[in-house]
Amino acid sequence: MTMKKELIDKLAQAGNLTDEELKSLLESGDEDEDYLFQKADARRQSIYGKEVYLRGLIEFTNYCKNNCYYCGIRCGNTKLERYRLTKDDILACCQEGYRLGYRTFVLQGGEDPFFTDEMICDIVSAIHGSYPDCAITLSIGEKEKSSYQAYFEAGARRYLLRHETANEAHYRKLHPDVMSPTHRQQCLFDLKAIGYQVGTGLMVGSPFQTTENIVEDIRFMQKLDPDMIGIGPFLTHLDTPFSKYENGSLKLTLRLIAIFRLMFPYALIPSTTALGTIHPAGREMGLKAGANVVMPNLSPTDFRKLYSLYDNKICTGDEAAECRGCLERRVKGAGYEIVNAVGDCAKLRLDGNTYPDETKMS
């Protein structure tokens, strides 16, 4: 047995490695890659079977007050045509999504000051009132704890906020000085304290990222113990300061998905659109490496191309039914099965605690 296989077996058995062992596994070549993916896939199937969960994505605003150097919807991008969906637009997306079998809606947008807490609560409450059997996820950035509490009381139960990088020096290279890595991380702990199912994650291969940075990200995530882990390769956008940098690595992203599956066996891990953008079969590869979530787009087709986080984003012209049908075929072709479920987090965890039964959430 090779040294790398011994590390993979140790990770599968213990759920952890030393910093040096993680670094070695992250920096290894193609050797034993299939073995790592097989171990990760076996772990996810032992918990979730072949089930893959749908998340109906609604990108409701591409305005953002932040000027992150990697992001296409950064406020400094004056070339981007901006848009905001109305409450009625969002509810229409939910209506179509519900008809297609979605039982989780993800409201995602830039940090847009136009949408006040009152407006977000009104939208969340309207969705919850119309579709009480559905889970509502928010992905709208950094807020104060009181805002998160208000959204929770309105009916939101999940929140996605990628920490992007746990290393402060690296964070400063990706963001303007007005943004704080300490505040971003505190937001995640505030969300957990309120009772949200919390998702975080990172960009793989972002400018200036080192293997040591990724190990630091892993240690931060162990401290947070997230319910969801969203990772994808860094992809460039023409109208950002990082336009000349290389895209992140598909192979390293897949390797990290597998490592996260073995370290966080009960996590919900999406196989992202970014994976499908960097490789035609990227999403299928993500599932085979341990991912168990896909996020088809429910946004109106007229606006999808304007939610331009990175260049060459796929599925911007597909209708909601086309997105659903395409992903269902891809998931089935990869050997898995899409299920329409909301309570997929209510699994027994290793520590003996269970997640809330979302089908009984008020």
Side-chain angles (χ1 to χ4, degrees):
M1 181 176 288
T2 67
M3 182 181 71
K4 291 298 186 295
K5 281 189 176 180
E6 289 178 356
L7 283 182
I8 293 165
D9 284 342
K10 179 180 177 181
L11 180 61
Q13 182 175 4
N16 202 7
L17 295 173
T18 67
D19 287 1
E20 285 304 312
E21 288 170 337
L22 281 171
K23 187 174 185 291
S24 176
L25 194 56
L26 288 166
E27 292 180 346
S28 60
D30 295 341
E31 57 189 284
D32 302 325
E33 191 171 74
D34 289 342
Y35 188 70
L36 173 63
F37 296 160
Q38 289 166 11
K39 285 288 187 179
D41 188 47
R43 180 59 52 83
R44 62 74 56 89
Q45 290 202 43
S46 72
I47 298 168
Y48 291 103
K50 293 185 178 294
E51 294 181 352
V52 174
Y53 303 104
L54 286 176
R55 302 287 181 259
L57 181 63
I58 304 170
E59 297 163 335
F60 69 99
T61 174
N62 72 346
Y63 283 84
C64 190
K65 69 180 184 180
N66 295 328
N67 207 23
C68 306
Y69 303 143
Y70 50 82
C71 183
I73 67 170
R74 59 196 295 266
C75 65
N77 182 6
T78 58
K79 298 180 181 179
L80 181 64
E81 180 183 346
R82 304 286 177 169
Y83 76 91
R84 293 183 177 106
L85 299 187
T86 66
K87 175 183 174 181
D88 288 343
D89 291 333
I90 294 169
L91 289 173
C93 293
C94 293
Q95 183 179 34
E96 175 67 359
Y98 194 86
R99 184 185 70 81
L100 292 170
Y102 295 90
R103 295 300 179 264
T104 298
F105 301 119
V106 181
L107 301 186
Q108 184 176 80
E111 293 194 23
D112 184 355
F114 173 84
F115 285 95
T116 63
D117 288 351
E118 184 179 1
M119 293 172 70
I120 294 294
C121 288
D122 182 50
I123 292 167
V124 169
S125 180
I127 296 171
H128 185 59
S130 298
Y131 309 101
D133 56 332
C134 294
I136 302 169
T137 302
L138 295 178
S139 181
I140 54 176
E142 297 177 43
K143 307 288 183 180
E144 295 307 311
K145 188 174 182 179
S146 58
S147 300
Y148 292 144
Q149 183 69 49
Y151 308 154
F152 189 85
E153 291 172 1
R157 287 296 181 269
R158 296 171 174 161
Y159 204 101
L160 307 179
L161 180 65
R162 286 186 179 184
H163 69 277
E164 300 298 7
T165 175
N167 180 272
E168 182 166 359
H170 185 217
Y171 185 94
R172 296 294 182 193
K173 293 179 179 178
L174 303 180
H175 304 87
D177 289 342
V178 293
M179 298 183 69
S180 162
T182 303
H183 184 259
R184 195 170 192 87
Q185 293 175 23
Q186 185 58 50
C187 285
L188 287 162
F189 288 104
D190 287 345
L191 287 159
K192 287 211 74 168
I194 291 168
Y196 282 92
Q197 292 176 354
V198 175
T200 192
L202 63 144
M203 293 181 296
V204 181
S206 59
F208 315 109
Q209 185 183 67
T210 65
T211 307
E212 288 80 5
N213 292 155
I214 296 175
V215 172
E216 195 170 344
D217 288 322
I218 292 171
R219 298 308 182 207
F220 169 74
M221 292 166 71
Q222 285 179 307
K223 182 179 178 182
L224 178 68
D225 189 23
D227 305 290
M228 298 163 280
I229 299 172
I231 64 170
F234 164 74
L235 297 176
T236 60
H237 190 288
L238 180 63
D239 299 317
T240 69
F242 290 160
S243 61
K244 302 300 183 184
Y245 284 82
E246 291 185 4
N247 286 334
S249 164
L250 170 67
K251 287 189 175 182
L252 182 55
T253 304
L254 295 173
R255 187 177 291 273
L256 263 173
I257 288 173
I259 289 170
F260 283 137
R261 174 56 64 202
L262 294 173
M263 296 188 76
F264 303 91
Y266 291 85
L268 294 166
I269 304 177
S271 191
T272 62
T273 302
L275 277 173
T277 298
I278 203 170
H279 190 285
R283 286 175 294 188
E284 292 92 325
M285 293 177 181
L287 293 174
K288 291 179 180 180
N292 64 336
V293 172
V294 290
M295 299 177 68
N297 204 322
L298 289 174
S299 307
T301 54
D302 290 346
F303 300 108
R304 287 190 197 173
K305 65 182 182 297
L306 301 178
Y307 199 81
S308 177
L309 303 180
Y310 47 80
D311 290 331
N312 304 312
K313 184 179 176 184
I314 59 172
C315 301
T316 57
D318 294 344
E319 297 289 344
E322 292 175 318
C323 270
R324 160 82 196 227
C326 173
L327 271 177
E328 190 148 19
R329 290 189 296 272
R330 286 177 174 273
V331 169
K332 186 175 181 180
Y336 304 96
E337 175 189 5
I338 280 181
V339 294
N340 298 325
V342 65
D344 46 87
C345 280
K347 301 281 186 177
L348 184 66
R349 296 183 48 164
L350 291 174
D351 59 12
N353 297 319
T354 56
Y355 291 105
D357 181 352
E358 292 166 340
T359 62
K360 298 177 182 178
M361 288 180 175
S362 61

